[in-house]
Amino acid sequence: MPRMTAARAAVEILKREGVEVAFGVPGAAINPFYAALKASGGINHTLARHVEGASHMAEGYTRTKAGNIGVCIGTSGPAGTDMITGLYSAIADSIPILCITGQAPVARLHKEDFQAVDIASIAKPVTKAATTVLEAAQVPGVFQQAFHLMRSGRPGPVLIDLPIDVQLTEIEFDPKMYEPLPVYKPSATRAQIEKAIAFLQESERPLIVAGGGVINADAAELLVEFAELTGTPVVPTLMGWGIIPDDHELNAGMVGLQTSHRYGNATLLASDFVLGIGNRWANRHTGGLDVYTEGRTFVHVDIEPTQIGKIFAPDLGIASDAKAALQLFVEVAGELKAAGRLKDRSEWAAATQERRATLQRKTNFDNVPIKPQRVYQEMNRAFGPKTRYVTTIGLSQIAGAQMLHVYKPRHWINCGQAGPLGWTIPAALGVATADPDAQVVALSGDYDFQFMIEELAVGAQHRIPYVHVLVNNSYLGLIRQAQRNFDIDFQVKLEFENLNSPELGVYGVDHVKVAEGLGCKAIRVTEPDQLLPAFEEAKKLAAEFRVPVVVEAILERVTNISMAGADIDKVNEFEELATRPGDAPTAIRPLV
């Protein structure tokens, strides 16, 4: 058998598992692995400015294309703890990433050695597995198991911790003999699917709620085929947005307390049956369960058996990979249609589109400072249906989800459950790395943007172009809005007068200067009519210079975005609603 260091064996396994790209930050305890990475070749490495940033780059990379697994590498101690937020974000959204950390020598693990921390114990709650490898000969098996776990069942992240002496130890390993382990995914039975369709057949006003599990399973086309066969309108969740194109006649809009459409909530409340596939029944989708579930029958299909019944008990639960289930759904529905036994849902489907053409929010504001709704209106005009949007949390994300349009799976790349500030810049870099020919557009509020702003330099160094829309109100806008319930406005203002940029007034940080100082291009917009030209210019600059381009829109300081406190039937519409077509000119359905 050939002999090589355990670090080199690990790198060879990465390549045979399909890894082509890694993100990371080298250091003393992981240098043997980096030496093997260089010697082996075949894996492109992007040097991050922060290890948390590298973990979010890995997330963005995974989320962009079916089969991708992003890899994040860091040295020992704080590099591993920096990865924890990325691991939490990944496991919460069922995203497989592999984090590899260096570690102190095995003999010093319990001697308070420099940067020796029990990272495996720290990471266990936010990974499918976290292991410190104590024997070099176990390295191939640990990596093989890691990829098996990441891909099997509900996908998720794994951390492997490698003591420096383990990395350097030679082992017998022949890469040509290596084979990935088979992936396990549960599959629905025909009897289960027939029962689910029987529930659908008994209903009058059915809906499909399509979650991120459909995207993870690469099953969006099957879901749309099933919806079209049965004539059933589809509600995508925030993580499932793009499964069915926004302009599809069976797209019923999103539902929830925040990232929802007026017509989506109204349609859910009018329904009598809901088939959930690959979704979690997240609380910001359902709101209060009494309102959400009253008068409706539920079937829940999920790859993870323990997810079924976790939030509420469905009338039927099916543990299955979304693709395996949808293949059977299409098969059984096709047979029923051929036999003329499927109900005609055209009247119900038409009612969902009638709501869509009447229950809209106004976007066409001419105010100065700019109202955020106008930003998203002009984004709809500037960025086409192939755009990959990337965002994390805040009023910017909530308003964007209410007003932007998405047409394809993996074209709304959002950190859903964890929502860490700072996620957007590195995730966008990971997305643009995974799909360098795509139009990638990130969306941030000023606080999210400032959290990991240094990662813009990664885009400049490695020539990773994308457009970053920065909406700046110099406020923690979402928290300010939430503080209304406590009658406070406390510690949420980011305003100050910048000595070096007095033209900003109280808007504080000069994001244009910072972006340019980090090697990127930036444009500031203060009037609504400047937005569309700025977006067009940003696309040209990104293409010409191959760097991130920031478009900063100076917003009015306070805008309350449509939102409910507890129940989806009580959404507060703080701003004007659309009452004529000119109020929402980029809406999918013209206002009637």
Side-chain angles (χ1 to χ4, degrees):
M1 288 280 285
R3 289 183 64 80
M4 62 185 66
T5 66
R8 179 63 181 265
V11 171
E12 296 300 330
I13 290 170
L14 292 182
K15 292 195 292 186
R16 279 154 184 77
E17 292 282 2
V19 173
E20 298 176 351
V21 174
F23 307 89
V25 177
I30 197 64
N31 273 340
F33 186 90
Y34 270 89
L37 200 64
K38 181 180 180 181
S40 178
I43 296 177
N44 294 322
H45 182 273
T46 298
L47 176 63
R49 293 301 190 270
H50 192 296
V51 187
E52 181 186 339
S55 69
H56 298 325
M57 291 175 200
E59 282 188 80
Y61 182 84
T62 295
R63 293 171 190 252
T64 305
K65 182 181 177 182
N68 277 7
I69 291 185
V71 174
C72 171
I73 309 167
T75 189
S76 55
T81 57
D82 284 342
M83 292 179 182
I84 295 300
T85 301
L87 289 167
Y88 164 41
S89 170
I91 199 165
D93 289 346
S94 306
I95 302 300
I97 65 171
L98 177 62
C99 289
I100 302 168
T101 54
Q103 181 58 276
V106 171
R108 298 182 193 166
L109 288 180
H110 303 293
K111 296 187 178 182
E112 299 185 18
D113 203 43
F114 179 67
Q115 293 190 342
V117 66
D118 187 357
I119 192 61
S121 294
I122 294 170
K124 270 187 171 65
V126 290
T127 55
K128 293 189 77 173
T131 306
T132 297
V133 185
L134 302 179
E135 299 291 341
Q138 288 187 301
V139 166
V142 170
F143 274 79
Q144 187 180 41
Q145 176 75 344
F147 282 93
H148 170 73
L149 286 172
M150 285 188 286
R151 294 177 173 134
S152 293
R154 181 181 180 181
V158 169
L159 180 139
I160 299 175
D161 188 41
L162 298 173
I164 189 169
D165 53 335
V166 169
Q167 296 175 57
L168 290 166
T169 299
E170 285 198 348
I171 61 172
E172 292 184 346
F173 179 72
D174 186 352
K176 295 178 182 178
M177 296 294 104
Y178 179 87
E179 287 294 331
L181 293 174
V183 174
Y184 166 73
K185 294 181 180 178
S187 297
T189 66
R190 185 178 172 95
Q192 290 172 323
I193 299 305
E194 288 175 345
K195 180 66 175 176
I197 290 183
F199 276 118
L200 184 148
Q201 287 281 78
E202 292 167 6
S203 70
E204 298 297 326
R205 300 175 303 282
L207 288 176
I208 299 168
V209 171
V214 176
I215 291 178
N216 283 347
D218 200 24
E221 290 184 5
L222 282 169
L223 187 134
V224 173
E225 183 179 358
F226 175 64
E228 290 174 343
L229 273 170
T230 59
T232 307
V234 178
V235 169
T237 68
L238 184 66
M239 298 304 297
W241 197 9
I243 287 171
I244 185 167
D246 267 8
D247 59 357
H248 194 287
E249 61 185 5
L250 290 175
N251 187 314
M254 285 194 287
V255 170
L257 301 176
Q258 296 180 342
T259 55
S260 61
H261 301 110
R262 294 178 66 210
Y263 49 86
N265 282 1
T267 293
L268 188 285
L269 292 167
S271 70
D272 64 357
F273 169 76
V274 178
L275 168 60
I277 304 180
N279 64 307
R280 293 188 296 111
W281 307 118
N283 72 304
R284 293 191 180 186
H285 166 80
T286 64
L289 294 178
D290 289 347
V291 170
Y292 189 85
T293 61
E294 184 179 5
R296 281 170 280 284
T297 301
F298 288 85
V299 173
H300 189 197
V301 180
D302 197 273
I303 196 168
E304 172 53 51
T306 62
Q307 284 293 112
I308 296 170
K310 187 179 233 182
I311 309 302
F312 61 85
D315 297 272
L316 173 65
I318 302 172
S320 178
D321 169 67
K323 178 174 277 189
L326 282 164
Q327 286 169 338
L328 280 174
F329 272 118
V330 168
E331 179 181 311
V332 173
E335 293 171 3
L336 290 171
K337 185 167 185 177
R341 292 169 54 198
L342 282 179
K343 277 190 176 181
D344 180 3
R345 307 289 186 186
S346 56
E347 186 175 338
W348 165 240
T352 67
Q353 297 307 306
E354 183 179 349
R355 292 186 193 93
R356 192 170 204 182
T358 55
L359 300 175
Q360 297 182 12
R361 297 180 175 115
K362 183 175 178 177
T363 59
N364 197 27
F365 293 94
D366 292 326
N367 304 51
V368 178
I370 301 167
K371 291 187 79 68
Q373 293 88 342
R374 181 65 182 270
V375 177
Y376 310 115
Q377 175 179 298
E378 302 310 321
M379 289 174 70
N380 285 333
R381 287 178 165 145
F383 305 116
K386 295 182 180 180
T387 301
R388 292 188 188 268
Y389 288 111
V390 186
T391 189
T392 179
I393 196 172
L395 288 184
S396 55
Q397 174 245 24
I398 293 167
Q402 292 176 6
M403 297 168 195
L404 294 175
H405 307 314
V406 177
Y407 298 87
K408 295 184 178 183
R410 301 181 187 273
H411 282 58
W412 174 261
I413 296 177
N414 191 115
C415 174
Q417 198 234 75
L421 288 167
W423 188 87
T424 308
I425 293 175
L429 292 168
V431 172
T433 299
D435 189 357
D437 297 324
Q439 173 72 73
V440 177
V441 177
L443 173 62
S444 288
D446 43 299
Y447 210 42
D448 170 49
F449 190 73
Q450 290 173 21
F451 256 57
M452 302 202 79
I453 197 169
E454 76 284 345
E455 301 305 315
L456 286 175
V458 176
Q461 178 182 353
H462 295 277
R463 291 292 186 261
I464 307 172
Y466 77 94
V467 174
H468 202 124
V469 178
L470 164 61
V471 287
N472 181 7
N473 62 0
S474 197
Y475 241 123
L476 306 189
L478 178 57
I479 307 308
R480 176 205 54 74
Q481 187 166 330
Q483 285 189 352
R484 295 171 70 255
N485 296 322
F486 299 91
D487 196 25
I488 60 173
D489 187 15
F490 183 64
Q491 291 298 308
V492 290
K493 297 180 181 179
L494 299 174
E495 65 187 55
F496 66 94
E497 293 185 3
N498 190 323
L499 297 174
N500 302 304
S501 301
E503 69 276 11
L504 290 175
V506 299
Y507 282 81
V509 175
D510 191 330
H511 298 107
V512 170
K513 285 182 180 176
V514 176
E516 290 176 345
L518 291 166
C520 301
K521 292 288 185 179
I523 303 168
R524 181 176 295 119
V525 177
T526 58
E527 297 184 9
D529 290 343
Q530 299 171 346
L531 286 164
L532 184 56
F535 294 146
E536 297 297 340
E537 178 66 13
K539 290 190 286 187
K540 293 176 184 176
L541 290 172
E544 179 181 356
F545 294 101
R546 309 298 295 174
V547 297
V549 180
V550 178
V551 179
E552 178 186 38
I554 301 297
L555 301 187
E556 62 184 9
R557 298 296 310 288
V558 172
T559 309
N560 291 316
I561 299 300
S562 303
M563 203 175 301
D567 296 314
I568 60 172
D569 63 345
K570 294 183 177 65
V571 174
N572 291 316
E573 300 290 348
F574 296 97
E575 297 288 335
E576 295 176 54
L577 298 176
T579 59
R580 51 201 172 114
D583 288 342
T586 62
I588 293 290
R589 295 279 183 268
L591 188 71
V592 296

